[in-house]
Coordinates of all heavy atoms in Angstrom, one line a residue:
S1287 N -156.1 279.0 -39.6 CA -155.6 278.2 -38.5 C -154.3 278.9 -37.9 O -154.3 280.1 -37.9 CB -155.3 276.7 -38.9 OG -155.0 275.9 -37.8
S1288 N -153.3 278.1 -37.5 CA -152.1 278.6 -36.9 C -151.0 277.6 -36.9 O -151.3 276.4 -36.9 CB -152.5 279.0 -35.4 OG -151.4 279.3 -34.6
F1289 N -149.8 278.1 -36.8 CA -148.6 277.2 -36.6 C -148.8 276.4 -35.3 O -148.2 275.4 -35.1 CB -147.3 278.0 -36.5 CG -146.7 278.3 -37.9 CD1 -147.5 278.2 -39.0 CD2 -145.4 278.6 -38.0 CE1 -146.9 278.4 -40.3 CE2 -144.8 278.8 -39.2 CZ -145.5 278.7 -40.3
A1290 N -149.6 276.9 -34.3 CA -149.8 276.3 -33.1 C -150.6 275.0 -33.2 O -150.6 274.1 -32.3 CB -150.5 277.2 -32.1
A1291 N -151.2 274.7 -34.4 CA -152.0 273.5 -34.6 C -151.2 272.4 -35.1 O -151.4 271.9 -36.2 CB -153.2 273.9 -35.6
H1292 N -150.3 271.9 -34.2 CA -149.4 270.8 -34.6 C -149.8 269.6 -33.8 O -150.5 269.7 -32.7 CB -147.9 271.2 -34.5 CG -147.6 271.6 -33.1 ND1 -147.3 270.8 -32.1 CD2 -147.5 272.9 -32.6 CE1 -147.0 271.5 -31.0 NE2 -147.1 272.7 -31.2
P1293 N -149.3 268.4 -34.1 CA -149.7 267.2 -33.4 C -149.4 267.1 -31.9 O -150.1 266.5 -31.2 CB -148.9 266.1 -34.2 CG -148.7 266.6 -35.5 CD -148.5 268.1 -35.3
G1294 N -148.3 267.8 -31.5 CA -148.0 267.8 -30.1 C -148.5 268.9 -29.3 O -148.2 269.1 -28.1
A1295 N -149.5 269.7 -29.8 CA -150.0 270.8 -29.1 C -150.6 270.5 -27.8 O -151.4 269.5 -27.7 CB -151.0 271.6 -30.0
Y1299 N -155.8 276.3 -27.4 CA -155.8 277.1 -28.6 C -155.3 276.2 -29.8 O -155.9 276.0 -30.8 CB -154.9 278.3 -28.5 CG -154.8 279.1 -29.8 CD1 -155.8 280.0 -30.1 CD2 -153.6 279.0 -30.6 CE1 -155.7 280.8 -31.3 CE2 -153.5 279.8 -31.7 CZ -154.5 280.6 -32.1 OH -154.4 281.4 -33.3
G1300 N -154.1 275.6 -29.6 CA -153.5 274.8 -30.7 C -154.3 273.5 -30.9 O -154.5 273.1 -32.1
K1303 N -157.6 274.5 -32.8 CA -157.3 274.8 -34.2 C -157.1 273.5 -35.0 O -157.6 273.3 -36.1 CB -156.1 275.7 -34.4 CG -156.3 277.1 -33.9 CD -157.0 278.0 -35.0 CE -157.0 279.4 -34.6 NZ -157.6 280.3 -35.6
R1304 N -156.3 272.6 -34.4 CA -156.0 271.3 -35.1 C -157.2 270.5 -35.3 O -157.4 269.8 -36.3 CB -154.9 270.6 -34.4 CG -154.5 269.3 -35.1 CD -153.2 268.7 -34.5 NE -152.9 267.4 -35.1 CZ -152.3 267.2 -36.3 NH1 -152.0 268.3 -37.0 NH2 -152.1 266.0 -36.8
E1307 N -159.3 271.7 -38.1 CA -158.7 271.4 -39.4 C -159.1 270.0 -39.8 O -159.3 269.7 -41.0 CB -157.1 271.4 -39.2 CG -156.5 272.7 -39.1 CD -155.0 272.7 -39.0 OE1 -154.4 271.5 -39.0 OE2 -154.4 273.7 -38.9
I1317 N -156.9 274.9 -45.6 CA -156.4 275.3 -44.3 C -155.2 276.3 -44.5 O -154.3 275.9 -45.2 CB -156.0 274.1 -43.5 CG1 -157.1 273.2 -43.2 CG2 -155.3 274.6 -42.2 CD1 -156.7 271.8 -42.8
L1318 N -155.3 277.5 -43.9 CA -154.2 278.4 -44.0 C -153.6 278.5 -42.6 O -154.3 278.9 -41.6 CB -154.7 279.8 -44.4 CG -155.2 279.9 -45.9 CD1 -155.7 281.3 -46.2 CD2 -154.1 279.5 -46.9
Q1319 N -152.4 278.2 -42.4 CA -151.7 278.3 -41.2 C -150.6 279.5 -41.2 O -149.5 279.3 -41.8 CB -150.9 277.0 -40.8 CG -151.8 275.9 -40.5 CD -151.0 274.7 -40.0 OE1 -149.8 274.6 -40.1 NE2 -151.7 273.6 -39.5
P1320 N -151.0 280.6 -40.7 CA -150.0 281.7 -40.7 C -149.1 281.6 -39.5 O -149.5 281.1 -38.4 CB -150.9 283.0 -40.6 CG -152.1 282.5 -40.0 CD -152.3 281.1 -40.3
G1321 N -147.9 282.1 -39.6 CA -147.0 282.3 -38.5 C -147.5 283.5 -37.6 O -148.6 283.9 -37.7
L1322 N -146.6 284.0 -36.8 CA -146.9 285.2 -36.0 C -147.3 286.4 -36.9 O -146.5 286.8 -37.7 CB -145.8 285.6 -35.1 CG -145.9 286.9 -34.3 CD1 -147.1 286.7 -33.3 CD2 -144.7 287.2 -33.6
Q1351 N -136.2 279.8 -28.8 CA -137.2 279.2 -29.7 C -137.2 280.0 -31.0 O -137.0 281.2 -31.0 CB -138.6 279.2 -29.0 CG -138.7 278.5 -27.7 CD -138.6 279.5 -26.5 OE1 -137.7 280.4 -26.5 NE2 -139.5 279.5 -25.6
R1352 N -137.4 279.3 -32.1 CA -137.5 279.9 -33.4 C -138.9 280.3 -33.7 O -139.9 279.6 -33.4 CB -136.9 279.0 -34.5 CG -135.4 278.7 -34.3 CD -134.6 279.9 -34.3 NE -133.2 279.7 -34.6 CZ -132.3 279.6 -33.6 NH1 -132.6 279.7 -32.4 NH2 -131.0 279.4 -34.0
V1353 N -139.0 281.5 -34.3 CA -140.3 282.0 -34.7 C -140.3 282.4 -36.2 O -139.3 282.8 -36.7 CB -140.7 283.2 -33.8 CG1 -139.8 284.4 -34.0 CG2 -142.2 283.7 -34.1
Q1354 N -141.4 282.3 -36.9 CA -141.6 282.7 -38.2 C -142.8 283.7 -38.3 O -143.8 283.4 -37.6 CB -141.9 281.5 -39.2 CG -140.6 280.7 -39.4 CD -141.0 279.4 -40.1 OE1 -141.4 278.4 -39.4 NE2 -140.8 279.3 -41.4
T1355 N -142.7 284.7 -39.0 CA -143.7 285.8 -39.0 C -144.2 286.0 -40.4 O -143.7 285.6 -41.4 CB -143.1 287.1 -38.5 OG1 -142.2 287.7 -39.5 CG2 -142.4 286.9 -37.2
I1356 N -145.4 286.8 -40.4 CA -145.9 287.3 -41.7 C -146.7 288.6 -41.4 O -147.3 288.7 -40.3 CB -146.9 286.2 -42.3 CG1 -147.4 286.8 -43.7 CG2 -148.1 285.9 -41.4 CD1 -148.2 285.7 -44.5
L1376 N -153.5 272.4 -47.6 CA -152.9 273.1 -46.5 C -151.8 274.0 -47.1 O -151.0 273.6 -47.9 CB -152.3 272.1 -45.5 CG -151.3 272.7 -44.5 CD1 -152.1 273.6 -43.5 CD2 -150.6 271.6 -43.7
L1377 N -151.8 275.3 -46.6 CA -150.8 276.2 -46.9 C -150.3 276.8 -45.6 O -151.1 277.3 -44.8 CB -151.3 277.3 -47.8 CG -151.5 277.0 -49.3 CD1 -152.2 278.2 -50.0 CD2 -150.2 276.7 -50.0
R1378 N -149.0 276.8 -45.4 CA -148.3 277.4 -44.3 C -147.7 278.7 -44.8 O -146.9 278.7 -45.7 CB -147.3 276.5 -43.6 CG -147.9 275.3 -43.0 CD -146.9 274.4 -42.2 NE -147.6 273.4 -41.4 CZ -147.5 272.1 -41.7 NH1 -146.8 271.7 -42.8 NH2 -148.1 271.2 -41.0
L1379 N -148.0 279.8 -44.1 CA -147.7 281.1 -44.6 C -146.8 281.9 -43.5 O -147.3 282.3 -42.5 CB -148.9 281.9 -44.8 CG -149.9 281.3 -45.8 CD1 -151.2 282.1 -45.8 CD2 -149.3 281.2 -47.2
A1380 N -145.5 282.0 -43.8 CA -144.6 282.7 -43.0 C -143.3 282.9 -43.7 O -143.0 282.2 -44.7 CB -144.3 282.0 -41.7
E1381 N -142.5 283.9 -43.3 CA -141.2 284.1 -43.9 C -140.4 282.8 -43.8 O -140.5 282.1 -42.7 CB -140.5 285.2 -43.3 CG -140.3 285.1 -41.7 CD -139.5 286.3 -41.1 OE1 -138.5 286.6 -41.7 OE2 -140.0 286.8 -40.1
P1382 N -139.7 282.4 -44.8 CA -139.0 281.1 -44.8 C -138.0 280.9 -43.7 O -137.8 279.8 -43.2 CB -138.4 280.9 -46.2 CG -139.2 281.9 -47.0 CD -139.6 283.0 -46.2
R1383 N -137.3 282.0 -43.3 CA -136.2 281.8 -42.3 C -136.7 282.0 -40.9 O -137.1 283.2 -40.5 CB -135.1 282.8 -42.7 CG -133.8 282.6 -41.8 CD -132.8 283.6 -42.2 NE -133.1 285.0 -41.8 CZ -132.7 285.5 -40.6 NH1 -132.1 284.7 -39.7 NH2 -133.0 286.7 -40.3
P1384 N -136.7 281.0 -40.1 CA -137.0 281.2 -38.7 C -135.9 282.0 -38.0 O -134.7 281.9 -38.3 CB -137.1 279.8 -38.1 CG -137.1 278.9 -39.3 CD -136.4 279.6 -40.4
V1385 N -136.3 282.8 -36.9 CA -135.4 283.6 -36.2 C -135.6 283.3 -34.7 O -136.7 283.0 -34.3 CB -135.5 285.1 -36.4 CG1 -135.2 285.4 -37.9 CG2 -136.9 285.6 -36.1
G1435 N -147.8 278.1 -25.5 CA -147.5 278.5 -26.8 C -146.0 278.7 -27.0 O -145.4 278.3 -28.0
Q1438 N -144.0 275.3 -26.9 CA -144.1 274.4 -28.0 C -144.1 275.0 -29.4 O -144.7 274.6 -30.3 CB -145.5 273.6 -27.9 CG -145.5 272.8 -26.6 CD -146.8 272.0 -26.6 OE1 -147.9 272.5 -26.6 NE2 -146.6 270.7 -26.5
M1439 N -143.3 276.1 -29.5 CA -143.2 276.7 -30.8 C -142.5 275.8 -31.8 O -141.6 275.1 -31.6 CB -142.3 278.0 -30.7 CG -143.0 279.1 -29.8 SD -142.1 280.6 -29.8 CE -142.6 281.2 -31.4
V1440 N -143.1 275.8 -33.0 CA -142.6 274.9 -34.1 C -142.3 275.8 -35.3 O -142.9 276.9 -35.5 CB -143.6 273.8 -34.5 CG1 -143.8 272.9 -33.3 CG2 -145.0 274.4 -34.9
T1441 N -141.5 275.3 -36.2 CA -141.2 276.0 -37.5 C -141.4 275.1 -38.6 O -141.4 273.8 -38.5 CB -139.8 276.5 -37.5 OG1 -138.8 275.4 -37.4 CG2 -139.5 277.5 -36.4
F1442 N -141.6 275.6 -39.8 CA -141.9 274.8 -41.0 C -141.1 275.4 -42.2 O -140.8 276.6 -42.3 CB -143.4 274.8 -41.3 CG -144.2 274.2 -40.3 CD1 -144.9 275.0 -39.3 CD2 -144.4 272.8 -40.2 CE1 -145.7 274.5 -38.3 CE2 -145.2 272.3 -39.2 CZ -145.8 273.1 -38.3
D1443 N -140.9 274.5 -43.2 CA -140.3 275.0 -44.4 C -141.5 275.5 -45.3 O -142.3 274.7 -45.7 CB -139.6 273.8 -45.1 CG -139.0 274.2 -46.5 OD1 -139.2 275.3 -46.9 OD2 -138.2 273.4 -47.0
T1444 N -141.6 276.8 -45.5 CA -142.7 277.4 -46.2 C -142.4 277.7 -47.7 O -143.3 278.2 -48.4 CB -143.2 278.7 -45.5 OG1 -142.1 279.6 -45.5 CG2 -143.5 278.4 -44.0
A1445 N -141.2 277.4 -48.1 CA -140.9 277.7 -49.5 C -141.8 277.2 -50.5 O -142.2 277.9 -51.5 CB -139.4 277.3 -49.8
E1446 N -142.1 275.9 -50.5 CA -143.0 275.3 -51.5 C -144.4 275.9 -51.4 O -145.1 276.0 -52.5 CB -143.0 273.8 -51.3 CG -141.8 273.1 -51.7 CD -141.4 273.3 -53.1 OE1 -142.3 273.2 -54.0 OE2 -140.2 273.5 -53.4
D1447 N -144.9 276.2 -50.2 CA -146.2 276.8 -50.1 C -146.3 278.1 -50.8 O -147.2 278.5 -51.4 CB -146.6 276.9 -48.6 CG -146.9 275.5 -48.0 OD1 -147.1 274.5 -48.8 OD2 -146.9 275.4 -46.8
L1448 N -145.2 278.9 -50.6 CA -145.2 280.2 -51.2 C -145.1 280.1 -52.7 O -145.6 281.0 -53.5 CB -144.0 281.0 -50.7 CG -144.0 281.3 -49.1 CD1 -142.8 282.1 -48.7 CD2 -145.3 282.1 -48.8
K1449 N -144.4 279.1 -53.2 CA -144.4 278.8 -54.6 C -145.8 278.5 -55.2 O -146.1 278.9 -56.3 CB -143.4 277.6 -55.0 CG -142.0 278.0 -54.9 CD -141.1 276.7 -55.3 CE -139.6 277.0 -55.1 NZ -138.8 275.8 -55.5
L1456 N -142.4 287.4 -49.1 CA -142.9 288.0 -47.9 C -141.8 288.9 -47.3 O -140.6 288.6 -47.4 CB -143.3 286.9 -46.9 CG -144.3 285.8 -47.3 CD1 -144.6 284.9 -46.2 CD2 -145.6 286.5 -47.7

Side-chain angles (χ1 to χ4, degrees):
S1287 186
S1288 166
F1289 273 21
H1292 56 83
Y1299 177 80
K1303 291 275 189 179
R1304 183 166 175 78
E1307 288 181 1
I1317 297 163
L1318 294 176
Q1319 290 186 352
L1322 174 64
Q1351 304 98 310
R1352 295 301 198 261
V1353 62
Q1354 289 168 278
T1355 71
I1356 183 170
L1376 169 66
L1377 284 172
R1378 293 187 172 109
L1379 305 173
E1381 57 179 313
R1383 186 178 74 88
V1385 297
Q1438 297 186 302
M1439 296 186 73
V1440 295
T1441 60
F1442 298 99
D1443 182 352
T1444 61
E1446 289 302 317
D1447 290 343
L1448 298 178
K1449 284 182 182 178
L1456 303 182

